[in-house]
Amino acid sequence: MTLVELDVVARWLHLLGLLVWIGHNYANVIQRPRYVAVDAMDAAATEQLFMQAARREHGTFRYASLVVLASGLYMLWFRGIVADALALRGQFAVLGLGVWIGLLMTANLWFVLWPHQKKVLGFVPAPHAERVRCTRVTFLSSRTNTILSFPAVFLMIAGAHAPMLF
Ligand code: HEM
């Protein structure tokens, strides 16, 4: 496969990965439009909530973020604009800002959401009060990525198709 063909495959994987990753976030907004204070529930209801979350946990959306990151970095490298985009130089500043938001979203998912989610799910042992606290952290972390996805999509598309407008 030539590098050009790989660039086309990378763009396809970039958008597919996004559909899974950000799609999961949007589905969360529909399923849980607002945070329900878990500690207001009795122990049995809380345990059932934790078990439901554990059964739903498949990790696909988390690994989709790595597909988005790898395909995005390949497309940057293929265009020879890694440094220009990350340094927000000239016409690459628009795409670059989108990339920085994308990197922030990926770090939020892997270094904030997932470590706390593991406690909620019982994959990492934690006292009940700590698991309850983590449900709020995971809710806010997920919502943050949902909101960040709006400027990220805009800046990526504008950076890809209309950098001269900026
Ligand atoms: C994680 C780091 C990311 C990197 C390094 C990255 C990099 C890139 C690059 C280089 C392009 C192609 C630009 C061009 O055609 O000149 C692109 C396109 C795009 N990216 Fe990203 N991206 C990342 C994350 C994201 C995220 C988080 C989103 C959305 C939430 C996103 C949405 C898009 C969209 C919608 C396109 C335009 C596709 C098109 O119009 O063909 N990217 N990205």
PDB file of all heavy atoms in Angstrom, residues 81-103:
ATOM      1  N   ILE A  81       3.314  18.356   8.374  1.00  0.00           N
ATOM      2  CA  ILE A  81       2.918  19.568   9.125  1.00  0.00           C
ATOM      3  C   ILE A  81       2.810  19.322  10.627  1.00  0.00           C
ATOM      4  O   ILE A  81       2.154  20.094  11.340  1.00  0.00           O
ATOM      5  CB  ILE A  81       1.575  20.133   8.580  1.00  0.00           C
ATOM      6  CG1 ILE A  81       0.470  19.086   8.713  1.00  0.00           C
ATOM      7  CG2 ILE A  81       1.726  20.643   7.160  1.00  0.00           C
ATOM      8  CD1 ILE A  81      -0.926  19.642   8.400  1.00  0.00           C
ATOM      9  N   VAL A  82       3.444  18.270  11.141  1.00  0.00           N
ATOM     10  CA  VAL A  82       3.349  17.989  12.578  1.00  0.00           C
ATOM     11  C   VAL A  82       3.817  19.213  13.393  1.00  0.00           C
ATOM     12  O   VAL A  82       3.079  19.735  14.233  1.00  0.00           O
ATOM     13  CB  VAL A  82       4.192  16.749  12.961  1.00  0.00           C
ATOM     14  CG1 VAL A  82       4.155  16.537  14.474  1.00  0.00           C
ATOM     15  CG2 VAL A  82       3.692  15.499  12.248  1.00  0.00           C
ATOM     16  N   ALA A  83       5.016  19.711  13.100  1.00  0.00           N
ATOM     17  CA  ALA A  83       5.570  20.831  13.875  1.00  0.00           C
ATOM     18  C   ALA A  83       4.741  22.104  13.666  1.00  0.00           C
ATOM     19  O   ALA A  83       4.385  22.785  14.635  1.00  0.00           O
ATOM     20  CB  ALA A  83       7.027  21.072  13.467  1.00  0.00           C
ATOM     21  N   ASP A  84       4.387  22.401  12.394  1.00  0.00           N
ATOM     22  CA  ASP A  84       3.616  23.620  12.101  1.00  0.00           C
ATOM     23  C   ASP A  84       2.258  23.595  12.795  1.00  0.00           C
ATOM     24  O   ASP A  84       1.812  24.596  13.368  1.00  0.00           O
ATOM     25  CB  ASP A  84       3.412  23.775  10.589  1.00  0.00           C
ATOM     26  CG  ASP A  84       4.707  24.159   9.892  1.00  0.00           C
ATOM     27  OD1 ASP A  84       5.537  24.806  10.551  1.00  0.00           O
ATOM     28  OD2 ASP A  84       4.876  23.776   8.711  1.00  0.00           O
ATOM     29  N   ALA A  85       1.588  22.427  12.764  1.00  0.00           N
ATOM     30  CA  ALA A  85       0.257  22.332  13.387  1.00  0.00           C
ATOM     31  C   ALA A  85       0.385  22.474  14.907  1.00  0.00           C
ATOM     32  O   ALA A  85      -0.342  23.266  15.516  1.00  0.00           O
ATOM     33  CB  ALA A  85      -0.395  21.003  13.022  1.00  0.00           C
ATOM     34  N   LEU A  86       1.327  21.752  15.530  1.00  0.00           N
ATOM     35  CA  LEU A  86       1.444  21.805  16.991  1.00  0.00           C
ATOM     36  C   LEU A  86       1.933  23.173  17.474  1.00  0.00           C
ATOM     37  O   LEU A  86       1.595  23.613  18.570  1.00  0.00           O
ATOM     38  CB  LEU A  86       2.371  20.696  17.492  1.00  0.00           C
ATOM     39  CG  LEU A  86       1.829  19.265  17.313  1.00  0.00           C
ATOM     40  CD1 LEU A  86       2.838  18.234  17.800  1.00  0.00           C
ATOM     41  CD2 LEU A  86       0.493  19.086  18.038  1.00  0.00           C
ATOM     42  N   ALA A  87       2.695  23.859  16.620  1.00  0.00           N
ATOM     43  CA  ALA A  87       3.173  25.203  16.988  1.00  0.00           C
ATOM     44  C   ALA A  87       2.160  26.270  16.577  1.00  0.00           C
ATOM     45  O   ALA A  87       2.426  27.466  16.744  1.00  0.00           O
ATOM     46  CB  ALA A  87       4.526  25.466  16.326  1.00  0.00           C
ATOM     47  N   LEU A  88       1.043  25.854  16.021  1.00  0.00           N
ATOM     48  CA  LEU A  88      -0.034  26.770  15.585  1.00  0.00           C
ATOM     49  C   LEU A  88       0.491  27.835  14.629  1.00  0.00           C
ATOM     50  O   LEU A  88       0.165  29.025  14.742  1.00  0.00           O
ATOM     51  CB  LEU A  88      -0.700  27.417  16.810  1.00  0.00           C
ATOM     52  CG  LEU A  88      -1.244  26.469  17.869  1.00  0.00           C
ATOM     53  CD1 LEU A  88      -1.882  27.258  19.008  1.00  0.00           C
ATOM     54  CD2 LEU A  88      -2.252  25.487  17.282  1.00  0.00           C
ATOM     55  N   ARG A  89       1.359  27.375  13.665  1.00  0.00           N
ATOM     56  CA  ARG A  89       1.971  28.324  12.721  1.00  0.00           C
ATOM     57  C   ARG A  89       1.071  28.592  11.526  1.00  0.00           C
ATOM     58  O   ARG A  89       0.532  27.649  10.917  1.00  0.00           O
ATOM     59  CB  ARG A  89       3.305  27.742  12.201  1.00  0.00           C
ATOM     60  CG  ARG A  89       4.478  28.155  13.028  1.00  0.00           C
ATOM     61  CD  ARG A  89       5.833  27.829  12.430  1.00  0.00           C
ATOM     62  NE  ARG A  89       6.681  27.344  13.533  1.00  0.00           N
ATOM     63  CZ  ARG A  89       7.159  26.118  13.635  1.00  0.00           C
ATOM     64  NH1 ARG A  89       6.882  25.228  12.690  1.00  0.00           N
ATOM     65  NH2 ARG A  89       7.915  25.759  14.657  1.00  0.00           N
ATOM     66  N   GLY A  90       0.893  29.899  11.189  1.00  0.00           N
ATOM     67  CA  GLY A  90       0.211  30.331   9.967  1.00  0.00           C
ATOM     68  C   GLY A  90      -1.096  29.597   9.700  1.00  0.00           C
ATOM     69  O   GLY A  90      -1.917  29.409  10.601  1.00  0.00           O
ATOM     70  N   GLN A  91      -1.267  29.099   8.465  1.00  0.00           N
ATOM     71  CA  GLN A  91      -2.550  28.483   8.074  1.00  0.00           C
ATOM     72  C   GLN A  91      -2.786  27.146   8.755  1.00  0.00           C
ATOM     73  O   GLN A  91      -3.889  26.619   8.723  1.00  0.00           O
ATOM     74  CB  GLN A  91      -2.606  28.299   6.558  1.00  0.00           C
ATOM     75  CG  GLN A  91      -1.564  27.315   6.035  1.00  0.00           C
ATOM     76  CD  GLN A  91      -1.901  26.954   4.576  1.00  0.00           C
ATOM     77  OE1 GLN A  91      -2.488  27.735   3.847  1.00  0.00           O
ATOM     78  NE2 GLN A  91      -1.562  25.727   4.189  1.00  0.00           N
ATOM     79  N   PHE A  92      -1.762  26.617   9.445  1.00  0.00           N
ATOM     80  CA  PHE A  92      -1.938  25.333  10.122  1.00  0.00           C
ATOM     81  C   PHE A  92      -2.422  25.512  11.555  1.00  0.00           C
ATOM     82  O   PHE A  92      -2.643  24.540  12.275  1.00  0.00           O
ATOM     83  CB  PHE A  92      -0.627  24.545  10.069  1.00  0.00           C
ATOM     84  CG  PHE A  92      -0.108  24.349   8.668  1.00  0.00           C
ATOM     85  CD1 PHE A  92       1.059  24.971   8.262  1.00  0.00           C
ATOM     86  CD2 PHE A  92      -0.821  23.598   7.753  1.00  0.00           C
ATOM     87  CE1 PHE A  92       1.520  24.828   6.957  1.00  0.00           C
ATOM     88  CE2 PHE A  92      -0.378  23.441   6.452  1.00  0.00           C
ATOM     89  CZ  PHE A  92       0.789  24.068   6.048  1.00  0.00           C
ATOM     90  N   ALA A  93      -2.601  26.796  11.964  1.00  0.00           N
ATOM     91  CA  ALA A  93      -3.026  27.070  13.345  1.00  0.00           C
ATOM     92  C   ALA A  93      -4.427  26.517  13.608  1.00  0.00           C
ATOM     93  O   ALA A  93      -4.696  25.997  14.693  1.00  0.00           O
ATOM     94  CB  ALA A  93      -2.991  28.573  13.608  1.00  0.00           C
ATOM     95  N   VAL A  94      -5.288  26.593  12.613  1.00  0.00           N
ATOM     96  CA  VAL A  94      -6.675  26.145  12.795  1.00  0.00           C
ATOM     97  C   VAL A  94      -6.709  24.640  13.079  1.00  0.00           C
ATOM     98  O   VAL A  94      -7.231  24.187  14.098  1.00  0.00           O
ATOM     99  CB  VAL A  94      -7.513  26.473  11.542  1.00  0.00           C
ATOM    100  CG1 VAL A  94      -8.943  25.994  11.709  1.00  0.00           C
ATOM    101  CG2 VAL A  94      -7.469  27.955  11.256  1.00  0.00           C
ATOM    102  N   LEU A  95      -6.070  23.870  12.172  1.00  0.00           N
ATOM    103  CA  LEU A  95      -6.011  22.419  12.368  1.00  0.00           C
ATOM    104  C   LEU A  95      -5.269  22.105  13.664  1.00  0.00           C
ATOM    105  O   LEU A  95      -5.669  21.241  14.447  1.00  0.00           O
ATOM    106  CB  LEU A  95      -5.317  21.750  11.186  1.00  0.00           C
ATOM    107  CG  LEU A  95      -5.155  20.241  11.253  1.00  0.00           C
ATOM    108  CD1 LEU A  95      -6.508  19.550  11.218  1.00  0.00           C
ATOM    109  CD2 LEU A  95      -4.275  19.740  10.116  1.00  0.00           C
ATOM    110  N   GLY A  96      -4.177  22.866  13.912  1.00  0.00           N
ATOM    111  CA  GLY A  96      -3.362  22.642  15.106  1.00  0.00           C
ATOM    112  C   GLY A  96      -4.154  22.785  16.386  1.00  0.00           C
ATOM    113  O   GLY A  96      -4.009  21.976  17.324  1.00  0.00           O
ATOM    114  N   LEU A  97      -5.018  23.798  16.435  1.00  0.00           N
ATOM    115  CA  LEU A  97      -5.847  23.992  17.637  1.00  0.00           C
ATOM    116  C   LEU A  97      -6.779  22.795  17.817  1.00  0.00           C
ATOM    117  O   LEU A  97      -6.958  22.295  18.930  1.00  0.00           O
ATOM    118  CB  LEU A  97      -6.650  25.294  17.483  1.00  0.00           C
ATOM    119  CG  LEU A  97      -7.248  25.890  18.743  1.00  0.00           C
ATOM    120  CD1 LEU A  97      -6.166  26.106  19.799  1.00  0.00           C
ATOM    121  CD2 LEU A  97      -7.965  27.213  18.424  1.00  0.00           C
ATOM    122  N   GLY A  98      -7.302  22.293  16.688  1.00  0.00           N
ATOM    123  CA  GLY A  98      -8.154  21.096  16.737  1.00  0.00           C
ATOM    124  C   GLY A  98      -7.364  19.898  17.258  1.00  0.00           C
ATOM    125  O   GLY A  98      -7.862  19.100  18.064  1.00  0.00           O
ATOM    126  N   VAL A  99      -6.119  19.787  16.815  1.00  0.00           N
ATOM    127  CA  VAL A  99      -5.269  18.673  17.261  1.00  0.00           C
ATOM    128  C   VAL A  99      -5.001  18.775  18.766  1.00  0.00           C
ATOM    129  O   VAL A  99      -5.096  17.780  19.489  1.00  0.00           O
ATOM    130  CB  VAL A  99      -3.946  18.658  16.470  1.00  0.00           C
ATOM    131  CG1 VAL A  99      -2.948  17.694  17.094  1.00  0.00           C
ATOM    132  CG2 VAL A  99      -4.189  18.297  15.016  1.00  0.00           C
ATOM    133  N   TRP A 100      -4.712  20.001  19.266  1.00  0.00           N
ATOM    134  CA  TRP A 100      -4.466  20.149  20.710  1.00  0.00           C
ATOM    135  C   TRP A 100      -5.713  19.767  21.504  1.00  0.00           C
ATOM    136  O   TRP A 100      -5.621  19.111  22.539  1.00  0.00           O
ATOM    137  CB  TRP A 100      -4.030  21.586  21.045  1.00  0.00           C
ATOM    138  CG  TRP A 100      -2.576  21.828  20.801  1.00  0.00           C
ATOM    139  CD1 TRP A 100      -2.046  22.656  19.852  1.00  0.00           C
ATOM    140  CD2 TRP A 100      -1.472  21.230  21.481  1.00  0.00           C
ATOM    141  NE1 TRP A 100      -0.672  22.615  19.904  1.00  0.00           N
ATOM    142  CE2 TRP A 100      -0.286  21.732  20.897  1.00  0.00           C
ATOM    143  CE3 TRP A 100      -1.364  20.301  22.521  1.00  0.00           C
ATOM    144  CZ2 TRP A 100       0.990  21.357  21.309  1.00  0.00           C
ATOM    145  CZ3 TRP A 100      -0.097  19.914  22.947  1.00  0.00           C
ATOM    146  CH2 TRP A 100       1.067  20.443  22.347  1.00  0.00           C
ATOM    147  N   ILE A 101      -6.901  20.146  21.009  1.00  0.00           N
ATOM    148  CA  ILE A 101      -8.141  19.755  21.696  1.00  0.00           C
ATOM    149  C   ILE A 101      -8.291  18.233  21.637  1.00  0.00           C
ATOM    150  O   ILE A 101      -8.648  17.584  22.622  1.00  0.00           O
ATOM    151  CB  ILE A 101      -9.365  20.456  21.070  1.00  0.00           C
ATOM    152  CG1 ILE A 101      -9.293  21.965  21.297  1.00  0.00           C
ATOM    153  CG2 ILE A 101     -10.668  19.897  21.650  1.00  0.00           C
ATOM    154  CD1 ILE A 101     -10.424  22.753  20.634  1.00  0.00           C
ATOM    155  N   GLY A 102      -7.955  17.637  20.475  1.00  0.00           N
ATOM    156  CA  GLY A 102      -8.023  16.175  20.333  1.00  0.00           C
ATOM    157  C   GLY A 102      -7.089  15.479  21.317  1.00  0.00           C
ATOM    158  O   GLY A 102      -7.471  14.477  21.951  1.00  0.00           O
ATOM    159  N   LEU A 103      -5.875  16.022  21.479  1.00  0.00           N
ATOM    160  CA  LEU A 103      -4.916  15.427  22.422  1.00  0.00           C
ATOM    161  C   LEU A 103      -5.425  15.568  23.856  1.00  0.00           C
ATOM    162  O   LEU A 103      -5.319  14.628  24.660  1.00  0.00           O
ATOM    163  CB  LEU A 103      -3.549  16.097  22.257  1.00  0.00           C
ATOM    164  CG  LEU A 103      -2.850  15.871  20.907  1.00  0.00           C
ATOM    165  CD1 LEU A 103      -1.603  16.742  20.783  1.00  0.00           C
ATOM    166  CD2 LEU A 103      -2.514  14.396  20.718  1.00  0.00           C
TER     167      LEU A 103
END
